[in-house]
Amino acid sequence: MMKPAQVVKALSALAQPTRLAIFRLLVVSGADGLAAGEIAGKLKVSPANMSFHFKALSHAGLVVSRQEGRFIYYAANFAVMNGMVDYLTENCCGGHDEACKPNAKKC
Amino acid sequence: MMKPAQVVKALSALAQPTRLAIFRLLVVSGADGLAAGEIAGKLKVSPANMSFHFKALSHAGLVVSRQEGRFIYYAANFAVMNGMVDYLTENCCGGHDEACKPNAKKC
DNA sequence: TACATTGTTAAACGATTATTAAAACGTCAG
DNA sequence: CTGACGTTTTAATAATCGTTTAACAATGTA
């Protein structure tokens, strides 16, 4: 169960075009993640700017990193992503979901 | 299918404590929504501030409003909420969701 | 009409955020 | 050790955001 402040932090982290693109790449990439430079190359973002955005995503708990040689790999933290989604959709329509389209697919 | 810019706008709208609280109230309240003043009372937010935040949520498409006498009712737009969630979770782990916890409940 | 209620708009201010460039740090190969 | 590579940090700047105050518009009632 996430606290509102954590959810706000996660939403803030994703509420920026570059960071949303980074996170989407990592979500699709799965548990192994991608090297920082690889992401920077794909998204054409400067290293300094990447670091700035990684810090925001890390601080929000949305990504985790591990060092491997000279490279740093980042991967999505699916627990936090799902916690954020749960917080948003929880108890929709007071529990009677007549107005809400159920959506089977979820990561 | 939402465009990245729309998703960023929706995430930005929710990435603020007052607006997240407003939206959560509306999600739980369902299709009928709540009067602006009722929400302002529950959240102890000034009318001017409420208007400011409603505008952000409306502009992001997350809420819709209707006038009823002197009152204005706001309600969550579940299609946009679900579209945002879908965008975030789509094609998780490249489609092989081994690392992602499936989550049955969704609005 | 006059008045109270409900909500919006406009202007001003301080606080936060994104980006860039430059310097610094850690890791590995020779 | 030295040098190259990958990434982070710092400082500076411009842009955006949230709150307050005051004034304004629309609706309903006496």
Side-chain angles (χ1 to χ4, degrees), chain A residues 3 6 17 22 32 34 63 71 103:
Chain A
K3 290 182 181 175
Q6 297 177 271
I22 292 170
D32 291 346
L34 293 173
V63 306
F71 300 85
N103 192 325

Side-chain angles (χ1 to χ4, degrees), chain A residues 24 27-28 90 92-94 107, chain B residues 24 27-28 90 92-94 107:
Chain A
R24 278 298 301 156
V27 165
V28 173
E90 198 173 40
C92 171
C93 299
C107 179
Chain B
R24 278 296 302 156
V27 165
V28 174
E90 199 172 39
C92 171
C93 298
C107 179

Side-chain angles (χ1 to χ4, degrees), chain B residues 52-97:
Chain B
F52 172 80
H53 289 306
F54 275 138
K55 206 157 80 175
L57 289 167
S58 294
H59 194 236
L62 283 164
V63 306
V64 295
S65 63
R66 68 178 196 280
Q67 185 134 13
E68 213 160 283
R70 272 182 295 187
F71 300 84
I72 297 181
Y73 284 81
Y74 285 89
N77 183 344
F78 295 101
V80 171
M81 179 183 79
N82 288 327
M84 188 183 78
V85 170
D86 289 346
Y87 183 94
L88 288 176
T89 58
E90 199 172 39
N91 198 23
C92 171
C93 298
H96 313 86
D97 304 300

